[in-house]
Amino acid sequence: MKNFNLKPLGAGAGLRHEHFSEVLTNSPPFNWFEIILENFMGVGGYTKRSFEAIKSKYTIIPHGVCLSIGSTDPLDMNYLKRVKLFLDDINAPWTSDHLCFTMVDHTNLNELIPIPFTKESLNNVIERVKIVQDVFERPFLLENVTRYLTVSDREMSEGEFISSILEHANCGLLLDVTNVYLNSLYHGYDSFEFISSLPIERVGQIHLAGWEEEDGKIIDSHDAPVPEPVWALFQKTIALTGPTSVLIEWDSQLPSVQRLLQETEMAQNIIDGICNKKQRVA
Amino acid sequence: MALSDVLSALRIVILDDFGKVPEDIHDRRILFTQKFPNLTKEELEDFIAIPSDRFGLYTGTIFSGQRSVLRNHFPVTFAVLKNAHEKNINKKFDAYDFVKNIHQTYPWKTNETSSLANNLISYITNNCADITSIYPYLPEIPLLEKLSLELKRLNENVFTNFESYSIDELNNLTVESLLEIKIFRPETTKLTKFEYEILPIYHKYHNSRELNEGELSSIKQSTNFAIGNRREDLAIRWIPINYEIFKLLSSIEHNESFSMSKFAEVFVDSSPQIDNEEEMFRNLFSFFTSLHGIGALVALRNTTVA
C-alpha cells in the first residue's frame, strides 16, 4: 500500500470565501482545494452557487473540525449523517478530521485539545473511528494535532498511539508536518525520527502551515507562510511517502490568491524534485 | 480510571479556570488533588507534570478565537464598548478580558456563532450597567448586528425565480401603470424595531470605521423601525421605515405579492400632509426606489413569484 491507496493530487490550498471571486474569474492553476466541510454543509445562495461553480472546475477534498473523535461524549450521529450526505453530494474521494477532542461534558471548547496516549483512549478512538468509517463509506484520515501539552505518555508514546490507531481502525493518516515540527520543539524530540516511526504507507495527505510567535511561544496559527524548517522537514518526508496530496493551510491573515498559489507551487516543486530524482535513481 | 474524568479535568482547567495553574509543582499537586478526586494517582501525576503555562496556551487560542468571531460580526458593538471605556470609564478596553467575562457568566457550550452572539447580548444587557448607564442604547446594537449576521447566513436555496423591473424601467412608467404593478418582500429581508435611533451610528461605522463621543452621546430614545436585506453578493443594507410601512410589510408573508397602490396608500396616509400631488408622488417613488435599491422590495414584471 502507498499513499493509503489514494490518488495523489499534488499540492493544493485551503479554499476560503474571500477567494471565491478571484478563483471563479481567473481560474488560477491550483491542483485542488481543501474545504472545511462544516462551513459548506447546508449552505445556500451565493456561497452554494460559488462552491458549485468552483467544484465543477477543481477537485475538492473536505476536512472536518467537529468530529471530536477522542471525546467520551457520544458521537453525534446526526452530525455524522449530515456529513455523509454532504460527502456523497460532492463525491468526495476521502475525508479527514483531527485526532483530538473538541467537546466534552456537552461543552464545545472550539479548539483541538490533545488526548492521553493510554490504552483506554486508544480503544475509545479505534471504536469511534470504525463507527465513523461505517457511516462515511469512504477512506478516512486522522490528522495529528499540535500538542502544547502531553496529557499522558505513560503507557505509550504519541507515535505508538497513532500507529496503533491507524492499524487497528484501518484508517489513514493526514500527516501535518508543521504540527510534528512544533511538537518536536515543545516536547524535545527529533521530528524526522518521529515521522519515520509512523506507518508511512498510510499517509494519504500532508498539511503544511505557518505559525506565529508570541511571548517566546510558537502558536499553530495558520496565518503565515510555511517556515523554512518545515519546508526542510517536508522535503525529507516526501522522500519517504512519495507523491501525495499536500495542502497549504493558510486560514487567517489571508494572502492574495497569487501568493497562495506561489506557496503551493513551492510545495509542488519539492514533490516533483524529490520524486523525479527517486525515479531517475531507480 | 476514567478517560472522561481526564478530559473533563482538561476542560475545567482550560476553559473554566482560564488555564490558571500554580507554577509550583507542590501547589499544583494540592490543587489538582482537591479539584479532581476522580482521577487516579497516575492520572493526577500526569496532570501535575504538565508545565503550568501550557494550559493557558489553549485558553489563549480559545478566547482569542471567540474575540475574533465577536469582533468580526459585532464591530459596531465593540467600537462603542471601546469608546465607552476610554472616554467615560477612563480605562483601556480589553476585548480579550471582556470575552472571558462573558464566558464566566454565560459560558459558550456549542460551536454556533448564534449562541455566542446571544451570550454577548445577554451579558451587555444584564451585566454592563457601568456602560449602559452612559449609553442606554448599547444592548440594541448587538441585536441589530445579530440580525445582520442572520441575514448573511440565510440558508435560502435559490433566489426566488422572478423577473423584476429595473429602476429605469419604473421611472418610465406612468403613474397609473406604476400603481398597478405587484411588489413583494423577498426572504432575504428582516424587519425590526428599535427603541433608540441607532441606525445612523451603525451606518457611520460601516462607512468610516470611526465613531466619536459626540455622536455616541447624542443618540435619541425614540421608537423607530427598519428593514434590512441581504443581496446576492452578501452585502447587508438597512433602511429606516415608519410604523405604518413596518405594519404593512409585517402583515404580508415573504414572497407574497401585493399591489403598489396598497403600498402607496399606506405611504401617503403615514406621511406629513402635502398638498402637491406631484411632490407626494416623487416622495413615494424615491422611498420605494430606496427599498428597491437594497433589494428589500421587488417590483415584479410577471405577476407570480415562483
Side-chain angles (χ1 to χ4, degrees), chain B residues 50-103:
Chain B
I50 297 172
S52 61
D53 59 340
R54 298 295 172 90
F55 295 101
L57 291 175
Y58 288 102
T59 310
T61 57
I62 289 168
F63 288 104
S64 297
Q66 288 189 24
R67 178 184 58 186
S68 294
V69 168
L70 287 176
R71 262 187 180 154
N72 195 31
H73 295 301
F74 297 86
V76 186
T77 302
F78 274 71
V80 175
L81 283 167
K82 183 170 184 280
N83 196 85
H85 277 74
E86 288 167 6
K87 298 278 189 295
N88 296 285
I89 303 174
N90 287 325
K91 67 179 189 190
K92 197 168 177 300
F93 175 60
D94 189 321
Y96 179 80
D97 278 349
F98 184 74
V99 166
K100 277 165 66 180
N101 292 342
I102 297 175
H103 176 78

Short mmCIF file of all heavy atoms in Angstrom, two decimals, chain B residues 50-103:
data_model
loop_
_atom_site.label_atom_id
_atom_site.label_comp_id
_atom_site.label_asym_id
_atom_site.label_seq_id
_atom_site.Cartn_x
_atom_site.Cartn_y
_atom_site.Cartn_z
N ILE B 50 2.38 18.44 33.87
CA ILE B 50 2.22 19.38 32.74
C ILE B 50 2.70 20.76 33.18
O ILE B 50 2.24 21.29 34.20
CB ILE B 50 0.74 19.46 32.28
CG1 ILE B 50 0.28 18.08 31.77
CG2 ILE B 50 0.57 20.51 31.20
CD1 ILE B 50 -1.21 18.00 31.49
N PRO B 51 3.63 21.36 32.44
CA PRO B 51 4.13 22.69 32.83
C PRO B 51 2.96 23.68 32.95
O PRO B 51 2.04 23.66 32.14
CB PRO B 51 5.06 23.08 31.67
CG PRO B 51 5.48 21.78 31.08
CD PRO B 51 4.32 20.85 31.24
N SER B 52 3.02 24.53 33.94
CA SER B 52 1.87 25.37 34.31
C SER B 52 1.41 26.30 33.20
O SER B 52 0.23 26.65 33.12
CB SER B 52 2.19 26.20 35.55
OG SER B 52 3.31 27.04 35.27
N ASP B 53 2.33 26.68 32.32
CA ASP B 53 1.94 27.66 31.29
C ASP B 53 1.28 27.02 30.06
O ASP B 53 0.79 27.73 29.18
CB ASP B 53 3.15 28.47 30.85
CG ASP B 53 4.25 27.59 30.28
OD1 ASP B 53 4.25 26.37 30.56
OD2 ASP B 53 5.11 28.12 29.54
N ARG B 54 1.26 25.70 30.01
CA ARG B 54 0.79 25.06 28.77
C ARG B 54 -0.74 25.09 28.62
O ARG B 54 -1.26 25.18 27.53
CB ARG B 54 1.27 23.61 28.68
CG ARG B 54 2.79 23.51 28.64
CD ARG B 54 3.37 24.14 27.37
NE ARG B 54 4.81 24.20 27.42
CZ ARG B 54 5.63 23.23 26.98
NH1 ARG B 54 5.12 22.13 26.45
NH2 ARG B 54 6.92 23.37 27.07
N PHE B 55 -1.43 24.97 29.76
CA PHE B 55 -2.89 25.01 29.68
C PHE B 55 -3.34 26.35 29.10
O PHE B 55 -4.26 26.43 28.29
CB PHE B 55 -3.52 24.83 31.08
CG PHE B 55 -3.26 23.51 31.72
CD1 PHE B 55 -2.29 23.37 32.69
CD2 PHE B 55 -4.01 22.39 31.36
CE1 PHE B 55 -2.06 22.14 33.30
CE2 PHE B 55 -3.79 21.16 31.97
CZ PHE B 55 -2.81 21.03 32.93
N GLY B 56 -2.64 27.39 29.56
CA GLY B 56 -3.00 28.75 29.15
C GLY B 56 -2.87 28.99 27.66
O GLY B 56 -3.52 29.88 27.10
N LEU B 57 -2.03 28.21 26.99
CA LEU B 57 -1.89 28.38 25.54
C LEU B 57 -3.21 28.03 24.85
O LEU B 57 -3.63 28.69 23.90
CB LEU B 57 -0.76 27.49 25.00
CG LEU B 57 0.65 27.92 25.42
CD1 LEU B 57 1.68 26.91 24.93
CD2 LEU B 57 0.97 29.31 24.90
N TYR B 58 -3.85 26.98 25.35
CA TYR B 58 -5.16 26.61 24.78
C TYR B 58 -6.20 27.65 25.17
O TYR B 58 -7.02 28.05 24.34
CB TYR B 58 -5.58 25.21 25.26
CG TYR B 58 -4.76 24.13 24.62
CD1 TYR B 58 -3.73 23.52 25.33
CD2 TYR B 58 -4.99 23.74 23.31
CE1 TYR B 58 -2.95 22.54 24.73
CE2 TYR B 58 -4.22 22.77 22.71
CZ TYR B 58 -3.20 22.17 23.42
OH TYR B 58 -2.43 21.22 22.82
N THR B 59 -6.16 28.08 26.43
CA THR B 59 -7.10 29.11 26.86
C THR B 59 -6.97 30.33 25.97
O THR B 59 -7.97 30.90 25.53
CB THR B 59 -6.81 29.53 28.32
OG1 THR B 59 -6.70 28.38 29.14
CG2 THR B 59 -7.89 30.45 28.85
N GLY B 60 -5.73 30.69 25.69
CA GLY B 60 -5.46 31.86 24.84
C GLY B 60 -6.06 31.72 23.46
O GLY B 60 -6.72 32.64 22.96
N THR B 61 -5.86 30.57 22.84
CA THR B 61 -6.38 30.43 21.47
C THR B 61 -7.90 30.36 21.48
O THR B 61 -8.55 30.88 20.57
CB THR B 61 -5.80 29.20 20.75
OG1 THR B 61 -6.08 28.03 21.50
CG2 THR B 61 -4.31 29.33 20.55
N ILE B 62 -8.47 29.74 22.50
CA ILE B 62 -9.93 29.63 22.56
C ILE B 62 -10.57 31.01 22.67
O ILE B 62 -11.47 31.37 21.90
CB ILE B 62 -10.38 28.74 23.74
CG1 ILE B 62 -10.03 27.27 23.46
CG2 ILE B 62 -11.88 28.87 23.99
CD1 ILE B 62 -10.17 26.37 24.66
N PHE B 63 -10.08 31.80 23.64
CA PHE B 63 -10.75 33.09 23.84
C PHE B 63 -10.33 34.13 22.79
O PHE B 63 -11.12 35.02 22.47
CB PHE B 63 -10.55 33.58 25.28
CG PHE B 63 -11.35 32.79 26.26
CD1 PHE B 63 -10.75 31.84 27.08
CD2 PHE B 63 -12.73 32.92 26.32
CE1 PHE B 63 -11.50 31.06 27.95
CE2 PHE B 63 -13.49 32.14 27.19
CZ PHE B 63 -12.86 31.21 28.00
N SER B 64 -9.14 33.98 22.24
CA SER B 64 -8.79 34.83 21.09
C SER B 64 -9.71 34.53 19.93
O SER B 64 -10.13 35.44 19.21
CB SER B 64 -7.36 34.57 20.64
OG SER B 64 -6.47 34.90 21.66
N GLY B 65 -10.01 33.26 19.76
CA GLY B 65 -10.94 32.85 18.69
C GLY B 65 -12.32 33.45 18.91
O GLY B 65 -12.93 33.98 17.98
N GLN B 66 -12.79 33.40 20.15
CA GLN B 66 -14.11 33.97 20.45
C GLN B 66 -14.09 35.48 20.22
O GLN B 66 -15.03 36.06 19.68
CB GLN B 66 -14.51 33.69 21.89
CG GLN B 66 -14.87 32.25 22.17
CD GLN B 66 -15.45 32.03 23.55
OE1 GLN B 66 -16.00 32.96 24.16
NE2 GLN B 66 -15.34 30.82 24.06
N ARG B 67 -13.01 36.10 20.64
CA ARG B 67 -12.87 37.55 20.45
C ARG B 67 -12.93 37.88 18.96
O ARG B 67 -13.59 38.83 18.54
CB ARG B 67 -11.56 38.02 21.07
CG ARG B 67 -11.28 39.51 20.90
CD ARG B 67 -9.93 39.89 21.44
NE ARG B 67 -8.88 39.14 20.79
CZ ARG B 67 -7.60 39.19 21.15
NH1 ARG B 67 -7.22 39.93 22.16
NH2 ARG B 67 -6.70 38.48 20.52
N SER B 68 -12.22 37.11 18.15
CA SER B 68 -12.21 37.36 16.69
C SER B 68 -13.60 37.20 16.10
O SER B 68 -14.02 38.01 15.28
CB SER B 68 -11.29 36.38 15.97
OG SER B 68 -9.98 36.62 16.35
N VAL B 69 -14.28 36.14 16.51
CA VAL B 69 -15.63 35.90 15.98
C VAL B 69 -16.53 37.09 16.33
O VAL B 69 -17.24 37.62 15.48
CB VAL B 69 -16.22 34.59 16.56
CG1 VAL B 69 -17.71 34.49 16.27
CG2 VAL B 69 -15.50 33.39 15.99
N LEU B 70 -16.46 37.51 17.59
CA LEU B 70 -17.36 38.60 18.02
C LEU B 70 -16.98 39.93 17.37
O LEU B 70 -17.83 40.67 16.90
CB LEU B 70 -17.35 38.71 19.54
CG LEU B 70 -18.09 37.60 20.28
CD1 LEU B 70 -17.94 37.74 21.78
CD2 LEU B 70 -19.56 37.55 19.91
N ARG B 71 -15.70 40.21 17.33
CA ARG B 71 -15.25 41.48 16.71
C ARG B 71 -15.63 41.52 15.24
O ARG B 71 -16.00 42.57 14.70
CB ARG B 71 -13.73 41.57 16.77
CG ARG B 71 -13.19 42.37 17.90
CD ARG B 71 -11.72 42.48 17.69
NE ARG B 71 -11.10 43.24 18.72
CZ ARG B 71 -9.84 43.13 19.08
NH1 ARG B 71 -9.07 42.24 18.48
NH2 ARG B 71 -9.33 43.87 20.03
N ASN B 72 -15.53 40.38 14.59
CA ASN B 72 -15.81 40.29 13.16
C ASN B 72 -17.29 40.54 12.88
O ASN B 72 -17.63 41.23 11.94
CB ASN B 72 -15.41 38.88 12.70
CG ASN B 72 -15.33 38.80 11.21
OD1 ASN B 72 -15.00 39.77 10.54
ND2 ASN B 72 -15.63 37.62 10.69
N HIS B 73 -18.15 39.96 13.70
CA HIS B 73 -19.59 40.05 13.45
C HIS B 73 -20.27 41.18 14.22
O HIS B 73 -21.39 41.53 13.89
CB HIS B 73 -20.26 38.72 13.81
CG HIS B 73 -19.82 37.59 12.94
ND1 HIS B 73 -19.97 37.60 11.57
CD2 HIS B 73 -19.20 36.43 13.23
CE1 HIS B 73 -19.47 36.49 11.06
NE2 HIS B 73 -18.99 35.76 12.03
N PHE B 74 -19.60 41.75 15.23
CA PHE B 74 -20.20 42.81 16.04
C PHE B 74 -19.26 44.00 16.13
O PHE B 74 -18.96 44.49 17.22
CB PHE B 74 -20.56 42.27 17.44
CG PHE B 74 -21.59 41.18 17.39
CD1 PHE B 74 -21.21 39.86 17.19
CD2 PHE B 74 -22.93 41.47 17.51
CE1 PHE B 74 -22.16 38.84 17.09
CE2 PHE B 74 -23.90 40.47 17.44
CZ PHE B 74 -23.51 39.15 17.22
N PRO B 75 -18.80 44.51 15.00
CA PRO B 75 -17.78 45.55 15.04
C PRO B 75 -18.28 46.86 15.67
O PRO B 75 -17.52 47.54 16.35
CB PRO B 75 -17.42 45.76 13.56
CG PRO B 75 -18.61 45.29 12.81
CD PRO B 75 -19.20 44.18 13.61
N VAL B 76 -19.55 47.20 15.43
CA VAL B 76 -20.06 48.46 15.97
C VAL B 76 -20.17 48.35 17.49
O VAL B 76 -19.81 49.27 18.23
CB VAL B 76 -21.43 48.82 15.36
CG1 VAL B 76 -21.87 50.20 15.81
CG2 VAL B 76 -21.37 48.77 13.83
N THR B 77 -20.65 47.21 17.97
CA THR B 77 -20.74 46.97 19.42
C THR B 77 -19.38 47.16 20.07
O THR B 77 -19.24 47.84 21.08
CB THR B 77 -21.25 45.54 19.70
OG1 THR B 77 -22.51 45.36 19.08
CG2 THR B 77 -21.37 45.28 21.19
N PHE B 78 -18.38 46.55 19.47
CA PHE B 78 -17.04 46.64 20.06
C PHE B 78 -16.47 48.05 19.96
O PHE B 78 -15.76 48.51 20.85
CB PHE B 78 -16.10 45.60 19.41
CG PHE B 78 -16.20 44.26 20.09
CD1 PHE B 78 -17.34 43.48 19.95
CD2 PHE B 78 -15.19 43.80 20.92
CE1 PHE B 78 -17.47 42.26 20.61
CE2 PHE B 78 -15.31 42.57 21.58
CZ PHE B 78 -16.45 41.82 21.43
N ALA B 79 -16.82 48.76 18.89
CA ALA B 79 -16.35 50.15 18.77
C ALA B 79 -16.98 51.00 19.88
O ALA B 79 -16.32 51.85 20.48
CB ALA B 79 -16.71 50.70 17.40
N VAL B 80 -18.26 50.78 20.16
CA VAL B 80 -18.93 51.55 21.20
C VAL B 80 -18.37 51.19 22.58
O VAL B 80 -18.15 52.06 23.42
CB VAL B 80 -20.46 51.33 21.15
CG1 VAL B 80 -21.17 52.01 22.30
CG2 VAL B 80 -21.03 51.81 19.82
N LEU B 81 -18.13 49.90 22.80
CA LEU B 81 -17.55 49.47 24.08
C LEU B 81 -16.19 50.13 24.29
O LEU B 81 -15.87 50.58 25.39
CB LEU B 81 -17.39 47.94 24.09
CG LEU B 81 -18.66 47.13 24.32
CD1 LEU B 81 -18.43 45.65 24.00
CD2 LEU B 81 -19.16 47.26 25.76
N LYS B 82 -15.40 50.14 23.24
CA LYS B 82 -14.05 50.74 23.33
C LYS B 82 -14.16 52.21 23.70
O LYS B 82 -13.48 52.70 24.60
CB LYS B 82 -13.35 50.55 21.99
CG LYS B 82 -11.92 51.04 21.92
CD LYS B 82 -11.27 50.56 20.62
CE LYS B 82 -9.82 50.95 20.56
NZ LYS B 82 -9.55 52.32 20.17
N ASN B 83 -15.05 52.90 22.99
CA ASN B 83 -15.23 54.32 23.26
C ASN B 83 -15.72 54.55 24.69
O ASN B 83 -15.25 55.45 25.39
CB ASN B 83 -16.22 54.91 22.26
CG ASN B 83 -16.17 56.41 22.23
OD1 ASN B 83 -15.35 57.00 21.55
ND2 ASN B 83 -17.03 57.05 22.98
N ALA B 84 -16.65 53.73 25.12
CA ALA B 84 -17.21 53.87 26.47
C ALA B 84 -16.12 53.75 27.52
O ALA B 84 -16.05 54.54 28.46
CB ALA B 84 -18.28 52.81 26.70
N HIS B 85 -15.25 52.77 27.34
CA HIS B 85 -14.17 52.56 28.31
C HIS B 85 -13.19 53.73 28.30
O HIS B 85 -12.81 54.25 29.35
CB HIS B 85 -13.44 51.25 28.03
CG HIS B 85 -14.13 50.06 28.60
ND1 HIS B 85 -15.27 49.54 28.05
CD2 HIS B 85 -13.87 49.32 29.70
CE1 HIS B 85 -15.67 48.51 28.78
NE2 HIS B 85 -14.85 48.35 29.78
N GLU B 86 -12.78 54.10 27.10
CA GLU B 86 -11.69 55.08 27.01
C GLU B 86 -12.15 56.49 27.33
O GLU B 86 -11.43 57.24 27.97
CB GLU B 86 -11.05 54.99 25.62
CG GLU B 86 -10.22 53.71 25.48
CD GLU B 86 -9.80 53.38 24.05
OE1 GLU B 86 -10.03 54.21 23.14
OE2 GLU B 86 -9.24 52.29 23.86
N LYS B 87 -13.37 56.83 26.91
CA LYS B 87 -13.79 58.22 27.10
C LYS B 87 -14.53 58.43 28.42
O LYS B 87 -14.60 59.54 28.93
CB LYS B 87 -14.72 58.66 25.96
CG LYS B 87 -14.07 58.63 24.59
CD LYS B 87 -13.25 59.89 24.36
CE LYS B 87 -12.74 60.05 22.94
NZ LYS B 87 -11.78 59.03 22.52
N ASN B 88 -15.14 57.39 28.93
CA ASN B 88 -16.00 57.57 30.09
C ASN B 88 -15.53 56.85 31.35
O ASN B 88 -15.66 57.35 32.45
CB ASN B 88 -17.42 57.11 29.76
CG ASN B 88 -18.05 57.96 28.67
OD1 ASN B 88 -18.45 59.09 28.90
ND2 ASN B 88 -18.10 57.43 27.47
N ILE B 89 -14.99 55.64 31.16
CA ILE B 89 -14.57 54.88 32.33
C ILE B 89 -13.07 55.08 32.56
O ILE B 89 -12.51 54.66 33.56
CB ILE B 89 -14.95 53.39 32.16
CG1 ILE B 89 -16.45 53.28 31.92
CG2 ILE B 89 -14.57 52.56 33.37
CD1 ILE B 89 -16.92 51.87 31.59
N ASN B 90 -12.44 55.71 31.60
CA ASN B 90 -11.00 56.01 31.70
C ASN B 90 -10.13 54.79 31.89
O ASN B 90 -9.21 54.79 32.69
CB ASN B 90 -10.73 56.99 32.86
CG ASN B 90 -11.19 58.38 32.48
OD1 ASN B 90 -11.10 58.76 31.32
ND2 ASN B 90 -11.72 59.10 33.43
N LYS B 91 -10.45 53.74 31.20
CA LYS B 91 -9.50 52.63 31.15
C LYS B 91 -9.59 51.98 29.77
O LYS B 91 -10.60 52.06 29.08
CB LYS B 91 -9.75 51.61 32.28
CG LYS B 91 -11.01 50.83 32.22
CD LYS B 91 -11.07 49.87 33.39
CE LYS B 91 -12.25 48.93 33.23
NZ LYS B 91 -12.52 48.12 34.40
N LYS B 92 -8.48 51.34 29.42
CA LYS B 92 -8.39 50.71 28.10
C LYS B 92 -9.37 49.54 28.03
O LYS B 92 -9.53 48.80 29.00
CB LYS B 92 -6.96 50.21 27.90
CG LYS B 92 -6.60 49.90 26.46
CD LYS B 92 -5.08 49.69 26.35
CE LYS B 92 -4.67 49.31 24.95
NZ LYS B 92 -5.24 48.10 24.41
N PHE B 93 -10.03 49.40 26.91
CA PHE B 93 -10.95 48.28 26.73
C PHE B 93 -10.17 47.07 26.27
O PHE B 93 -9.52 47.09 25.23
CB PHE B 93 -12.02 48.65 25.69
CG PHE B 93 -12.94 47.51 25.36
CD1 PHE B 93 -13.71 46.91 26.34
CD2 PHE B 93 -13.04 47.03 24.06
CE1 PHE B 93 -14.56 45.86 26.04
CE2 PHE B 93 -13.90 45.98 23.75
CZ PHE B 93 -14.65 45.39 24.74
N ASP B 94 -10.22 46.03 27.10
CA ASP B 94 -9.54 44.80 26.74
C ASP B 94 -10.58 43.80 26.26
O ASP B 94 -11.31 43.22 27.07
CB ASP B 94 -8.78 44.24 27.96
CG ASP B 94 -7.87 43.09 27.58
OD1 ASP B 94 -8.29 42.27 26.74
OD2 ASP B 94 -6.77 42.99 28.13
N ALA B 95 -10.63 43.62 24.95
CA ALA B 95 -11.66 42.75 24.37
C ALA B 95 -11.48 41.30 24.80
O ALA B 95 -12.46 40.57 24.97
CB ALA B 95 -11.65 42.86 22.84
N TYR B 96 -10.24 40.91 25.03
CA TYR B 96 -9.98 39.51 25.44
C TYR B 96 -10.56 39.27 26.83
O TYR B 96 -11.26 38.28 27.07
CB TYR B 96 -8.46 39.26 25.41
CG TYR B 96 -8.03 37.89 25.83
CD1 TYR B 96 -8.10 36.81 24.95
CD2 TYR B 96 -7.56 37.64 27.12
CE1 TYR B 96 -7.71 35.54 25.33
CE2 TYR B 96 -7.17 36.37 27.51
CZ TYR B 96 -7.23 35.33 26.62
OH TYR B 96 -6.85 34.07 27.00
N ASP B 97 -10.30 40.19 27.75
CA ASP B 97 -10.84 40.06 29.11
C ASP B 97 -12.37 40.12 29.08
O ASP B 97 -13.05 39.42 29.82
CB ASP B 97 -10.33 41.19 30.01
CG ASP B 97 -8.94 40.88 30.54
OD1 ASP B 97 -8.49 39.73 30.38
OD2 ASP B 97 -8.32 41.80 31.12
N PHE B 98 -12.89 40.98 28.19
CA PHE B 98 -14.34 41.12 28.06
C PHE B 98 -14.97 39.78 27.67
O PHE B 98 -15.97 39.35 28.25
CB PHE B 98 -14.65 42.20 27.01
CG PHE B 98 -16.11 42.50 26.84
CD1 PHE B 98 -16.81 43.22 27.80
CD2 PHE B 98 -16.79 42.07 25.71
CE1 PHE B 98 -18.16 43.50 27.63
CE2 PHE B 98 -18.14 42.34 25.54
CZ PHE B 98 -18.83 43.06 26.50
N VAL B 99 -14.35 39.11 26.71
CA VAL B 99 -14.87 37.83 26.24
C VAL B 99 -14.78 36.77 27.35
O VAL B 99 -15.69 35.97 27.54
CB VAL B 99 -14.09 37.40 24.98
CG1 VAL B 99 -14.33 35.96 24.64
CG2 VAL B 99 -14.47 38.27 23.80
N LYS B 100 -13.72 36.81 28.11
CA LYS B 100 -13.59 35.88 29.24
C LYS B 100 -14.68 36.15 30.28
O LYS B 100 -15.26 35.22 30.85
CB LYS B 100 -12.21 36.01 29.89
CG LYS B 100 -11.13 35.22 29.17
CD LYS B 100 -9.74 35.62 29.56
CE LYS B 100 -9.43 35.30 31.00
NZ LYS B 100 -8.06 35.72 31.36
N ASN B 101 -14.97 37.43 30.52
CA ASN B 101 -16.03 37.77 31.48
C ASN B 101 -17.39 37.26 31.00
O ASN B 101 -18.20 36.79 31.80
CB ASN B 101 -16.10 39.30 31.68
CG ASN B 101 -14.88 39.83 32.39
OD1 ASN B 101 -14.14 39.07 33.03
ND2 ASN B 101 -14.64 41.12 32.26
N ILE B 102 -17.62 37.35 29.69
CA ILE B 102 -18.87 36.81 29.15
C ILE B 102 -18.95 35.32 29.46
O ILE B 102 -19.98 34.82 29.92
CB ILE B 102 -18.99 37.03 27.62
CG1 ILE B 102 -19.03 38.52 27.28
CG2 ILE B 102 -20.23 36.34 27.09
CD1 ILE B 102 -19.03 38.81 25.78
N HIS B 103 -17.83 34.65 29.24
CA HIS B 103 -17.82 33.19 29.43
C HIS B 103 -18.10 32.82 30.88
O HIS B 103 -18.78 31.83 31.14
CB HIS B 103 -16.47 32.61 28.99
CG HIS B 103 -16.36 31.14 29.25
ND1 HIS B 103 -16.95 30.19 28.43
CD2 HIS B 103 -15.76 30.45 30.24
CE1 HIS B 103 -16.71 28.99 28.91
NE2 HIS B 103 -15.99 29.11 30.00
#
